[in-house]
Amino acid sequence: MRIGTVLDFGRPMSDVGDEIAAWEAAGLSSVTLGEAYSFDAPTQLAYLAARTKSLELATGVLPLDTRTPTLIATTAAGLDYVSAGRARLGLGPSGPQVVEGFHGILFADTLGKTRETIEICRSVWRRETLVHEGRHYRVPLDPSRGTGLGKPLKLINHPVRERIPISIASLGPRMVELTAELADAWEPIFFYPEKLQDVWGEALARGTAKRQPDLGPLEIIARAPLAVTDGDSSAWVDAAKPQLALYVGGMGSREKNFYNQLVASYGFAEEAAVIQDHFLAGRAKEAAAAVPDELVHATALIGDADHIRQRLTVLHEAGVTLVNVTPMATDPNQRLDAVKTVVALSKEV
């Protein structure tokens, strides 16, 4: 089991680089940076490529609709180039709040777009002359819709790797099925390992049945807030609740909130409804207070070393190969100590 991290937005990159270099020396093996509606992720990851030696550098995630599939492919190949083969392309549909609210693009047809994007990316990386005729993308453009001068092309440069790993952040059954069929790795947010089979077992089985052998087994990448404690952990549990409340209550409308539906599928339907009611009414503190302690403990690594070792074991048994931790402490030394502890514990699993 590997230990990585997911970066927050907005800190000075020189500070981030210093910290990540220290964490790499402590045994960290992967760093993921999302995009949403902040600065673009690949530029910042390219900076970290120059500050590190062995870390995997992953987008987590690039929203599908923000770039053409070909640009996604060349961006991933560019990051792989500057990092000497350390990139991972994390993709996801994002959601209507980002796609429609920030990019002005209709949020629709995510399943088909994901499949075609993966096909195009892998074709570009193999330096094939790109000819793709799909429902959502056609390359080159149909002459009747353009100048007629567009001809099939292939990537000028030779990529460092012709198979850059692709991970997909997916939650719904159809997208999880597609992930198990086509992706190298699956990134479920707020992963509750004990609920894996109940919530996603059938979808994973259907996708795995269609999976090509050369892809190898599907990796699972989990995320978890991290706080290593010696005694009472309740303050850290409470500190983890606002993020859950934000997603369960506010990331989407009352009718369409993927995270609310996820938490409901874990058995917290009533609690998810209460969280959403509070959040949409502007009562963020009440929304956070309504998050069950059980949900935090199931999706975080908060507690003493024995507890964290036990949770890492549960994650490992569920098939998780990479745990992206987010140290909750604000002191840099405490954050580094937390990373050192969880790296050491992961080696015991």
Side-chain angles (χ1 to χ4, degrees), residues 209-229:
K210 296 179 283 185
R211 188 176 180 85
Q212 294 299 311
D214 66 313
L215 283 174
L218 179 71
E219 295 193 45
I220 302 178
I221 301 170
R223 300 184 179 191
L226 172 66
V228 184
T229 66

Side-chain angles (χ1 to χ4, degrees), residues 112-123:
K113 289 178 180 177
T114 301
R115 180 179 292 277
E116 291 188 38
T117 296
I118 292 173
E119 292 173 356
I120 290 171
C121 282
R122 288 176 172 159
S123 180

